[in-house]
Amino acid sequence: MSKKRVLTGVTTTGIPHLGNYVGAIRPAIRAARQENTESYLFLADYHGIIKCHDPKLIHESTQAVAATWLACGLDPERTTFYRQSDIPEILELNWILTCITAKGLMNRAHAYKAAVQDNLDKGQEDQDHQIEMGLYSYPILMTADILMFKANDVPVGRDQIQHVEMARDIAGRFNHRFKELFVLPEAKIDEGVEILVGLDGRKMSKSYGNTIPLFESEKKLQKSVNKIVTNLKEPGEPKQPDESPLFEIYKAFSTAQETAEFTQMLADGLAWGEAKKLLGAKLNAELAPQRERYETLMANPADIEDILQAGAHKARAEARVLLDQVREAVGISRLK
Ligand code: ADP
Ligand code: TRP
C-alpha cells in the first residue's frame, strides 16, 4: 500500500503563536509521526512576501518558524522539511496552474474578498485599491505547493479550508484537460480546535499583532495570558465558556476531561484571574521543554540552514520529476 502524504506550510511573516501551533504545527507533527505517512513540512516564504514588505521581518521569521518546527519535534530524517523559495520548481508549476485557473475562482477567495470589502468599507472608489496580484493569486501558489508533492492530507486551520478546496478544483481541472498527474488533496482540520482568538478579540494572527507568541519566557507568557479579554464578572459569579477567548485556548491544550473540569470550575464561579493562572500553567507544561530546544536552535542558525538545505535537496529531486511530466503534458519539452 502506498503511504499517505501529509503536507503543510507556515507563512514566514512573524513569530509563531499559539494559533499556528494548535491549528497547524502540532497536528502536522502528530500526523508525520504516524506509520504509513510521508510528510512534507515547509516555510512558506514566498507567501510571506505577499502580506509583509519588511525584509528584516521575513528573514527573522524564517529562522523563527524553522526553529519552531524543529523544536516542536519535527524529525528531518522522517520528514521532508524545506523552505518554499529553495524549490524553484514550485514557481514553475505556479505559472502553469495560473494559466488554467479561472479568474472567477480567484475573485471568490476569502483573502481577496476581505481586502475588497475593506476598500468598500473605507469608501474607496476603486475596490482594488492597493491590492497586489500576489494577494489575488495567492491560492494558486498554495495549490502549487500542495500539488507539487502529491499531498493527500493538508492539516490547516479552518481559515485555510477554502484554499485547499481551490487546490482540489485546480488539480481536477488540469487532470481533466491534460493528464491525470495530480492527486486531489483534502484539508484536515483538528476537530477539537477552534480558530483561536487573539488579544484584541480578532482571529489570533501574525498580521494583526495580537498574538500570544509560542515560545516567549514563562513570565512573558503569563503576562500575555493576563491580557486576554474577559468580562466584568466577579469571583464567585457563574461564568460560561463563551464569555472569554481564554476557554478555547485552554481547551486546545487539554483532554476532554480536563476541559469538562475547567467548564465546571467556571460555572462554579472561578475568578478570571485564577482561570488565567491555570491557563498559564497549562500552556507552560506543554511548551517548556520545546521552548528550551527553540532557544538552542535560535542561537545556531547555521545548523537550521544545513537541515533546510538537505531538505531542499530531497524535495527538488522529487519536484523535478513531476514538473517534467506536467510540462510535457502541456506541450513544453525538448525537440527531438
Ligand atoms: P497567521 O494568520 O498568524 O499569519 P498563517 O497564515 O501563517 O498564520 O497560518 C499558518 C497555519 O496556522 C495555518 O494552517 C492556519 O490555519 C493556522 N492558524 C493561524 N492562525 C490560527 C488561529 N488563530 N487559530 C488556529 N489556527 C490558526
Ligand atoms: N497560506 C497558508 C497560510 O497562510 C500557508 C501555506 C502556504 C500553506 N502554502 C501552503 C498551508 C500549503 C498548507 C499547504 O496559512
Side-chain angles (χ1 to χ4, degrees):
M1 205 182 77
S2 70
K3 291 188 174 178
K4 182 174 260 193
R5 293 213 166 170
V6 177
L7 173 145
T8 199
V10 172
T11 313
T12 56
T13 44
I15 305 302
H17 55 80
L18 297 182
N20 299 143
Y21 177 71
V22 303
I25 296 169
R26 190 176 60 186
I29 288 176
R30 281 186 188 154
R33 287 196 181 131
Q34 310 219 319
E35 290 299 317
N36 278 323
T37 45
E38 279 174 330
S39 48
Y40 293 77
L41 304 178
F42 68 97
L43 314 171
D45 55 347
Y46 274 138
H47 275 98
I49 62 171
I50 293 171
K51 297 186 234 168
C52 171
H53 299 157
D54 174 352
K56 190 163 171 273
L57 183 65
I58 293 283
H59 194 73
E60 286 170 1
S61 169
T62 303
Q63 184 179 347
V65 175
T68 300
W69 277 116
L70 294 165
C72 291
L74 182 153
D75 173 0
E77 297 295 319
R78 284 203 60 176
T79 292
T80 305
F81 178 52
Y82 55 98
R83 174 169 46 203
Q84 184 185 36
S85 62
D86 284 334
I87 321 294
E89 288 77 8
I90 294 172
L91 291 188
E92 284 189 63
L93 180 59
N94 176 63
W95 178 251
I96 296 173
L97 297 176
T98 299
C99 295
I100 63 153
T101 300
K103 176 172 176 286
L105 188 68
M106 293 302 101
N107 289 341
R108 290 194 289 278
H110 294 322
Y112 170 65
K113 272 173 62 180
V116 167
Q117 194 55 50
D118 203 38
N119 278 332
L120 296 176
D121 292 348
K122 287 184 185 141
Q124 267 295 340
E125 226 165 274
D126 175 9
Q127 63 160 31
D128 287 326
H129 180 68
Q130 287 190 341
I131 299 179
E132 278 126 348
M133 284 306 294
L135 177 77
Y136 186 65
S137 45
Y138 133 36
I140 310 178
L141 179 56
M142 184 157 157
T143 298
D145 290 329
I146 296 171
L147 302 188
M148 188 85 262
F149 296 102
K150 303 184 179 173
N152 305 102
D153 290 355
V154 183
V156 280
R158 288 171 202 272
D159 57 315
Q160 296 292 323
I161 298 175
Q162 188 201 36
H163 297 145
V164 182
E165 281 168 359
M166 287 179 165
R168 243 183 119 79
D169 218 73
I170 297 169
R173 190 187 270 243
F174 182 98
N175 287 352
H176 180 73
R177 189 177 293 179
F178 297 106
K179 193 171 178 194
E180 287 273 334
L181 289 176
F182 293 127
V183 170
L184 303 191
E186 235 180 274
K188 286 286 158 192
I189 306 299
D190 192 334
E191 287 307 332
V193 173
E194 297 300 324
I195 284 288
L196 299 188
V197 169
L199 298 176
D200 61 356
R202 293 188 289 173
K203 166 190 170 304
M204 189 181 291
S205 170
K206 292 185 233 97
S207 335
Y208 299 151
N210 64 355
T211 69
I212 301 183
L214 189 56
F215 292 132
E216 50 187 6
S217 68
E218 182 173 358
K219 214 164 148 197
K220 278 200 183 152
L221 179 65
Q222 186 64 55
K223 262 196 170 163
S224 297
V225 167
N226 292 345
K227 288 191 204 143
I228 298 173
V229 182
T230 52
N231 58 22
L232 295 173
K233 284 194 177 169
E234 299 284 341
E237 275 187 78
K239 300 173 182 73
Q240 299 298 322
D242 62 3
E243 287 173 359
S244 167
L246 76 76
F247 180 81
E248 286 303 336
I249 303 179
Y250 193 94
K251 185 174 156 204
F253 283 82
S254 304
T255 61
Q257 193 186 337
E258 288 166 342
T259 305
E261 284 164 11
F262 190 62
T263 309
Q264 189 58 51
M265 287 162 85
L266 288 171
D268 292 342
L270 182 71
W272 286 125
E274 289 303 313
K276 287 178 174 176
K277 276 192 204 147
L278 289 176
L279 174 60
K282 185 114 218 110
L283 294 176
N284 199 55
E286 180 160 335
L287 300 176
Q290 311 184 54
R291 183 192 299 132
E292 210 168 298
R293 287 200 293 274
Y294 176 79
E295 281 163 5
T296 309
L297 285 156
M298 286 303 279
N300 296 288
D303 292 353
I304 303 179
E305 188 59 37
D306 287 348
I307 293 172
L308 289 174
Q309 288 308 319
H313 187 72
K314 260 201 287 184
R316 281 198 77 180
E318 192 182 324
R320 194 70 243 168
V321 175
L322 180 61
L323 185 64
D324 284 345
Q325 292 170 338
V326 171
R327 284 167 52 131
E328 193 169 334
V330 301
I332 294 177
S333 57
R334 294 222 170 138
L335 301 177
K336 288 178 201 140

